[in-house]
Amino acid sequence: VQLQASGGGLVQTGGSLRLSCAASGLTFSRSGNVGWFRQSSGEDHEFVAAIRYTGGTHYADSVKGRFTISRENAKNTVILQMNSLKPEDTAVYYCAANPRGIQSTVRLANQYGYWGQGTQVTVSS
């Protein structure tokens, strides 16, 4: 299983970025959870958003209303659309997958067994 994250970059406050997570070796729409987490230097992985194989979505309060997670089944890709970005959104963003994940574990980084390589998001003030 491999996850390939892409789409990070440098934007100004209020700007937008679109992150993608493409998978090989597993099918996102078949089972489990796919999540986006972020990590600032020295901090633990912080939950950002997740999508279940059913299509159900979950968001951290800090991004609700600004970020949208979705899935493109034909491409086996999960998208994180990030709008109205703030400096505090600056972090390395990781996608992660848990093919056996259940709803109660979507926010728990330690329940995800497969991780992408991370993509840097920097929001300037």
Side-chain angles (χ1 to χ4, degrees), residues 22-82:
S24 58
L26 64 85
T27 302
F28 287 152
S29 61
R30 187 169 294 166
S31 66
N33 305 328
V34 178
W36 283 97
F37 293 81
R38 63 190 182 188
Q39 188 175 35
S40 302
S41 103
E43 302 292 326
D44 292 335
H45 285 99
E46 176 191 8
F47 171 74
V48 176
I51 186 166
R52 297 263 297 136
Y53 74 101
T54 58
T57 57
H58 303 260
Y59 296 94
D61 288 344
S62 59
V63 307
K64 203 172 292 185
R66 301 188 296 124
F67 291 11
T68 302
I69 190 169
S70 62
R71 191 177 62 221
E72 297 180 356
N73 291 339
K75 298 180 180 180
N76 200 28
T77 297
V78 168
I79 304 297
L80 184 68
Q81 178 66 43
M82 305 187 296

Side-chain angles (χ1 to χ4, degrees), residues 5-18:
S6 61
L10 171 64
V11 294
Q12 293 185 332
T13 297
S16 298
L17 283 173
R18 184 175 185 264

Side-chain angles (χ1 to χ4, degrees), residues 70-110:
S70 62
R71 191 177 62 221
E72 297 180 356
N73 291 339
K75 298 180 180 180
N76 200 28
T77 297
V78 168
I79 304 297
L80 184 68
Q81 178 66 43
M82 305 187 296
N83 299 329
S84 303
L85 282 161
K86 305 175 181 180
E88 51 263 44
D89 295 318
T90 295
V92 178
Y93 283 69
Y94 297 88
C95 65
N98 178 0
R100 296 184 176 85
I102 59 177
Q103 182 165 313
S104 61
T105 65
V106 294
R107 298 170 185 264
L108 304 178
N110 61 10

